[in-house]
Amino acid sequence: MPRAQDEPVFRAPWEARAFALAVSLHAQGLFTWSEWAETLSATIRAAQAAGDPDCGDSYYRHWLAALERLVTERNVTTHARLAARRDAWERAAAATPHGEPIELGRDGKPVSPA
């Protein structure tokens, strides 16, 4: 993970949000740090086995994949709901003029809960 002065460095806002979400879900007791480390490590190993060159730029994609795995395994949400939310974000991004914040539902379609 890239670091500056021993603090995490995020390349995009979503990376910081994914980081904060993991910390928050741990604080709420959804998983222990050992479970988190095990899941993240397994996710990274699987990606490397599938050809991820591990150049550091995919770290938070693995982080997010590990989070998605834990929340679906623990029945917090489903794969279908995660996919629907991903689609809603993509539609919202496509409907948002450059420089404006992306808002779910901007495309006029309803957004179901994640």
Side-chain angles (χ1 to χ4, degrees):
M1 173 169 55
R3 299 182 80 73
Q5 298 177 357
D6 208 30
E7 294 293 323
V9 174
F10 306 105
R11 293 187 173 139
W14 74 266
E15 294 177 347
R17 289 185 194 107
F19 182 91
L21 185 55
V23 172
S24 177
L25 291 173
H26 167 263
Q28 293 175 45
L30 185 65
F31 49 80
T32 65
W33 280 127
S34 295
E35 292 169 323
W36 169 251
E38 199 172 293
T39 303
L40 179 58
S41 294
T43 301
I44 292 170
R45 280 193 306 274
Q48 289 172 342
D52 186 315
D54 194 20
C55 298
D57 60 341
S58 59
Y59 181 76
Y60 282 103
R61 283 195 307 259
H62 303 319
W63 186 281
L64 185 59
L67 277 174
E68 290 179 352
R69 178 177 169 187
L70 284 169
V71 298
T72 55
E73 285 178 353
R74 313 266 162 117
N75 296 315
V76 173
T77 192
T78 65
H79 291 287
R81 286 182 145 184
L82 288 173
R85 182 54 58 104
R86 191 175 300 115
D87 291 344
W89 272 109
E90 289 174 7
R91 288 192 319 270
T96 302
H98 181 73
E100 291 186 21
I102 298 172
E103 298 174 12
L104 288 176
R106 184 179 275 242
D107 62 344
K109 295 183 181 178
V111 179
S112 60

